[in-house]
Structures are given as C-alpha cells and as structure tokens.
Amino acid sequence: MDNLIGENIKQARLRAGYTQEKLAEKIDVSLSVISRLETGRTMVSVAKMQRIAKVLNTPVGTFFER
C-alpha cells in the first residue's frame, strides 16, 4: 500500500525538528495516532491534516506531493 501522505507528514515533521511525541502533544492526539498516520495504518482526517500542517508550518498540499 502506498503511504504517500504518511511519509510526507513524517518528512515534514523531521524537517521541523519534531519528535512524534512532540507533534502528538502539539495537535492534542496520542503518540500512537502519529505513529499510525506515518506508517499508513490509519487514515488522516482533513481536520488533523490541517492541524499538522499548521504546527509544522507547511502547506497541506505538501503531504500529497511525490
């Protein structure tokens, strides 16, 4: 299964210098949610994607780029 969005979220998180734990704290979800999003085990909602993009200071569209 292609995990483009999860991988792009992970890369944006790393560029921003955040751990999974810190990102989870910033968007008020559990660490396991971030882990599952990045590995493609769960889908990310539009609302969560927008919160993640805001915290990581990156456009939402970045998550869809190859």
Side-chain angles (χ1 to χ4, degrees), residues 3-52:
N3 184 30
L4 176 69
I5 294 172
E7 185 58 34
N8 286 340
I9 288 172
K10 178 181 179 180
Q11 292 306 315
R13 175 181 60 76
L14 293 172
R15 280 192 305 274
Y18 281 87
T19 62
Q20 286 184 340
E21 185 175 25
K22 186 67 173 178
L23 179 57
E25 180 183 302
K26 289 281 191 179
I27 67 165
D28 197 31
V29 298
S30 69
L31 171 61
S32 65
V33 168
I34 300 300
S35 176
R36 289 192 315 266
L37 291 175
E38 289 186 359
T39 58
R41 289 180 298 192
T42 191
M43 298 294 292
V44 60
S45 69
V46 172
K48 269 194 199 84
M49 196 178 303
Q50 289 172 328
R51 291 196 324 254
I52 291 168

